[in-house]
């Protein structure tokens, strides 16, 4: 009797299991729409034999098991290869090539955040895209080297081919031996020197070298060990390429290696193809779609190149050099590094007579006066460079005429006579002496007295002889002598001027009494 009950219980269990299997099959059939892949999961009414129906159900159940097993394996592989969210730029939602961190603490891709800040700065509303906190449009984000190395390592492990090639990631130097690294870099340099390569291939090679430099001191030392071959190859690419992306990559590597700081290397390159290099850098500055960082690097390298030129070549710089430098000074989207680089170009190139006329015709005098007015004295290097350029520009009639024609030109220069630095005081007095000697109309003489310029010249002329080099905010003996000479030129008009403060009357040198 117990045997019969067990037998019936087993048959009932088999019937329940069969019913559950049929229900699951029906559910899968309706949920995942397997009709194109499988025969119908419903029981065929035309099949009369129950054994054939059972075998069909078992085959279908096995197929469903294999189907779900494959799906689970694919899902697991997708989870393994899924890019971590903190590797993605919040703006582009793509893997970051060059992660940088804003002062707000959020990390973005350098290309994306520079474009964001440039567009937002033009609208006077530069903010962090995520936190919405205000950010200066000319801020320089901090490179996130740790995150960059993590991205490189992850790509080398999980996606060594497709993704690593797309983001320009190669095998990290630290995972290879020193001999392998030298061999790889030597091969990259030889590929760069090949003039028959296409721009796309050259760009990939430049990205590999850039990634090697980004590895740290080890990468820079290995690349520097390949000098001068790598320097000549990089500058040759910068000169011959017409693709903006390739030129930006070459310039990025040049600045990362600090090749412009190597005077011997830069002099050799300038002697070989200096004017071609100047034309290439000017072309980069003329592109309206260039990033602020690329323009700053191009302007800085242009200043170094023009400084290394021999006078016979530097005197014949193209007019576009000065036009682009003035445009950089007037560009509100340009950062501090861009402005300083443009000032260096004007201060260095205007030491030659013909360049002074070109710069004056390009509007350099008005742009330099605007820098003095906007500076406020808190950036001493800007003030000194601007006054140095103005001093050289006032060596020609066009420069002096432009300064006098500016509504605030004389007053802006006179404001820097006292209180900035010894170098600024010396340059300002030289500019005022040039104006007083060669462009002093009656109106200009009255303006110098009315704006307080004459009173500051009296302060310099009456200063103690021993307060020059020791005090950086005052002047030296040569500056005092130039101030006395300037006061002597128009003593008749200035000595009795009602615009001169009574205290300044007491400081006016007695030897100038008439």
């Amino acid at each position: 009797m117990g045997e019969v009950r067990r037998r019936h219980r087993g048959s009932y269990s088999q019937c329940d299991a069969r019913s559950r299997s049929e229900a699951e099959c029906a559910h899968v059939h309706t949920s995942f729409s397997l009709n194109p892949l499988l025969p119908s999961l419903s029981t065929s009414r035309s099949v009369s034999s129950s054994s054939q129906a059972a075998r069909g159900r078992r085959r279908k159940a096995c197929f469903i098991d294999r189907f779900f097993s494959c799906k689970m394996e694919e899902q697991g592989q997708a989870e393994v290869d899924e890019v971590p969210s903190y590797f993605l730029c919040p703006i582009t939602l793509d893997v970051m090539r060059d992660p940088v961190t804003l002062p707000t603490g959020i990390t973005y891709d350098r290309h994306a955040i520079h474009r964001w800040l440039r567009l937002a700065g033009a609208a006077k509303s530069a903010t962090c895209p995520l936190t919405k906190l205000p950010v200066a449009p000319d801020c320089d984000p901090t490179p996130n080297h740790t995150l960059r190395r993590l991205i490189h390592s992850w790509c080398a492990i999980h996606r060594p081919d497709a993704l690593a090639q797309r983001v320009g990631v190669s095998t990290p130097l630290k995972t290879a031996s020193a001999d392998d690294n030298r061999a790889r870099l030597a091969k990259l340099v030889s590929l760069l020197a090949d003039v028959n390569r296409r721009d796309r291939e050259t760009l990939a090679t430049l990205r590999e070298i850039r990634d090697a430099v980004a590895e740290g001191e080890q990468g820079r030392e290995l690349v520097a060990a390949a000098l001068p071959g790598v320097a000549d190859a990089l500058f040759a690419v910068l000169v011959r390429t017409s693709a903006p992306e390739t030129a930006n990559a070459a310039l990025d590597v040049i600045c990362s290696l600090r090749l412009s700081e190597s005077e011997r290397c830069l002099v050799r390159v300038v002697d070989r193809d200096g004017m071609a290099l100047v034309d290439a850098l000017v072309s980069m500055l003329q592109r309206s779609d260039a990033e602020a960082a690329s323009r700053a690097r191009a302007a800085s390298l242009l200043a170094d190149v023009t400084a290394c030129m021999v006078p016979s070549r530097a005197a014949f710089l193209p007019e576009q050099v000065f036009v682009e430098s003035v445009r950089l000074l007037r560009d509100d989207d340009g950062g501090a590094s861009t402005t300083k680089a443009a000032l260096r170009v004007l201060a260095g190139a205007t030491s030659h007579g013909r360049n002074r006329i070109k710069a004056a015709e390009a509007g350099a005098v008005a742009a330099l006066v605007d820098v003095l007015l906007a500076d406020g004295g808190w950036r001493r290097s800007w003030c000194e460079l601007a006054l140095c350029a103005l001093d050289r520009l006032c060596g020609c009639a066009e420069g002096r005429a432009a300064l006098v024609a500016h509504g605030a030109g004389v007053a802006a220069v006179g404001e820097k006579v006292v209180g900035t630095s010894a170098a600024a005081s010396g340059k300002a007095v030289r500019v005022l002496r040039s104006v007083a000697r060669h462009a002093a109309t009656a109106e200009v003489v009255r303006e110098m007295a009315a704006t307080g310029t004459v009173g500051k010249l009296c302060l310099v002329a009456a200063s103690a002889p021993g307060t020059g080099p020791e005090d950086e905010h005052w002047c030296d003996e040569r500056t005092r002598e130039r101030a006395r000479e300037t006061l002597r030129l128009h003593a008749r008009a200035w000595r009795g001027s009602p615009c001169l403060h009574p205290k300044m009357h007491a400081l006016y040198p007695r030897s100038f009494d008439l």
Side-chain angles (χ1 to χ4, degrees):
M1 194 71 180
E3 182 67 24
V4 172
R5 289 177 179 173
R6 284 192 298 272
R7 204 174 296 167
H8 281 289
R9 191 180 299 116
S11 63
Y12 294 153
S13 301
Q14 292 177 2
C15 292
D16 293 340
R18 190 179 300 115
S19 299
R20 285 194 300 271
S21 178
E22 291 177 357
E24 290 176 357
C25 291
H27 176 69
V28 170
H29 171 70
T30 57
S31 301
F32 294 95
S33 299
L34 297 178
N35 283 332
L37 303 176
L38 301 174
S40 176
L41 294 178
S42 61
T43 307
S44 177
R45 296 181 180 180
S46 63
V47 179
S48 58
S49 174
S50 61
S51 61
Q52 292 179 355
R55 284 196 299 270
R57 286 192 296 269
R58 283 195 296 269
R59 286 196 300 268
K60 294 167 187 175
C62 292
F63 183 86
I64 291 173
D65 290 340
R66 291 195 300 270
F67 175 79
F68 280 108
S69 298
C70 295
K71 286 294 183 182
M72 291 298 293
E73 291 178 1
E74 293 177 0
Q75 183 179 0
Q77 184 67 23
E79 291 178 355
V80 171
D81 290 344
E82 184 179 359
V83 180
S85 59
Y86 49 87
F87 287 177
L88 304 179
C89 176
I91 299 176
T92 63
L93 299 180
D94 201 356
V95 178
M96 289 183 280
R97 296 175 183 267
D98 188 7
V100 293
T101 304
L102 288 182
T104 58
I106 308 299
T107 300
Y108 303 91
D109 200 359
R110 183 184 293 275
H111 172 77
I113 193 60
H114 273 304
R115 180 177 177 80
W116 171 277
L117 292 176
R118 184 172 69 251
L119 296 177
K124 308 298 182 183
S125 60
T127 58
C128 177
L130 285 185
T131 64
K132 304 304 180 184
L133 295 175
V135 179
D138 59 346
C139 76
D140 191 10
T142 304
N144 195 332
H145 297 295
T146 302
L147 182 57
R148 181 184 176 90
R149 286 193 291 268
L150 289 175
I151 294 175
H152 287 195
S153 302
W154 185 90
C155 291
I157 295 173
H158 296 281
R159 299 187 181 181
D161 297 327
L163 183 59
Q165 182 179 2
R166 182 168 62 86
V167 300
V169 176
S170 57
T171 304
L173 291 175
K174 295 181 180 180
T175 62
S177 62
D179 295 337
D180 293 340
N181 290 330
R182 294 191 189 94
R184 181 161 67 92
L185 290 174
K187 182 180 179 181
L188 293 176
V189 172
S190 63
L191 291 176
L192 275 184
D194 187 4
V195 296
N196 296 323
R197 301 190 75 211
R198 294 179 297 179
D199 285 333
R200 183 178 300 179
E201 298 172 349
T202 303
L203 178 60
T205 304
L206 287 170
R207 286 175 175 173
E208 288 194 48
I209 297 178
R210 182 187 61 188
D211 294 336
V213 175
E215 288 292 328
E217 292 298 329
Q218 178 186 1
R220 278 193 289 269
E221 290 175 0
L222 286 172
V223 177
L227 292 174
V230 66
D232 294 337
L234 289 171
F235 281 108
V237 170
L238 186 60
V239 169
R240 72 170 182 262
T241 186
S242 58
E245 193 173 2
T246 304
N248 289 335
L251 184 61
D252 189 10
V253 177
I254 289 173
C255 294
S256 299
L257 291 174
R258 303 182 181 93
L259 295 180
S260 59
E261 298 178 5
S262 177
E263 184 176 356
R264 181 181 302 177
C265 173
L266 194 58
V267 167
R268 184 181 65 255
V269 173
V270 170
D271 289 342
R272 186 184 62 213
D273 46 10
M275 297 307 295
L277 185 57
V278 169
D279 293 337
L281 294 173
V282 170
S283 298
M284 295 183 68
L285 293 175
Q286 288 175 335
R287 285 197 289 268
S288 58
D289 57 343
E291 297 182 3
S294 299
R295 296 173 65 189
R297 289 193 291 264
S300 179
L301 183 57
L302 180 61
D304 294 331
V305 169
T306 54
C308 290
M309 280 186 170
V310 295
S312 58
R313 287 189 178 183
F316 295 95
L317 289 175
E319 185 180 354
Q320 290 300 319
V321 172
F322 306 99
V323 173
E324 294 304 318
S325 299
V326 171
R327 189 167 70 89
L328 289 176
L329 290 180
R330 291 175 173 171
D331 190 2
D332 295 333
D333 297 337
S337 57
T338 305
T339 303
K340 188 173 182 179
L343 290 172
R344 288 177 55 208
V345 172
L346 291 177
T350 51
S351 59
H352 307 283
R354 297 184 180 182
N355 291 341
R356 296 172 186 172
I357 300 175
K358 296 176 184 178
E361 293 176 349
V365 174
L368 291 169
V369 172
D370 292 341
V371 170
L372 292 179
L373 293 174
D375 173 48
W378 61 278
R379 283 182 176 170
R380 191 172 60 185
S381 60
W382 288 21
C383 180
E384 292 174 354
L385 288 171
L387 288 172
C388 178
L390 282 175
D391 177 27
R392 291 175 173 177
L393 286 172
C394 286
C396 66
E398 292 81 359
R400 293 190 296 269
L403 180 64
V404 171
H406 194 287
V410 174
V413 175
E415 184 68 22
K416 306 302 178 183
V417 171
V418 176
T420 303
S421 67
S425 298
K427 297 298 181 183
V429 170
R430 285 172 61 95
V431 172
L432 295 174
R433 185 184 63 170
S434 298
V435 171
R437 180 182 292 175
H438 302 288
T441 61
E443 184 179 357
V444 172
V445 171
R446 288 194 297 269
E447 180 184 357
M448 294 180 69
T451 57
T453 301
V454 176
K456 293 190 176 182
L457 289 174
C458 291
L459 286 175
V460 173
S463 61
T467 58
E470 293 81 8
D471 189 356
E472 61 179 359
H473 296 290
W474 203 230
C475 57
D476 55 11
E477 182 59 34
R478 288 183 299 177
T479 301
R480 284 189 288 272
E481 182 59 35
R482 292 190 184 104
R484 297 187 190 103
E485 180 183 352
T486 306
L487 292 172
R488 188 181 300 113
L489 291 173
H490 303 282
R492 184 185 297 273
W494 288 337
R495 186 71 176 84
S497 173
C499 298
L500 193 63
H501 195 274
K503 293 183 178 180
M504 296 300 106
H505 279 288
L507 293 177
Y508 209 97
R510 295 296 178 184
S511 58
F512 299 160
D513 290 344
L514 298 178

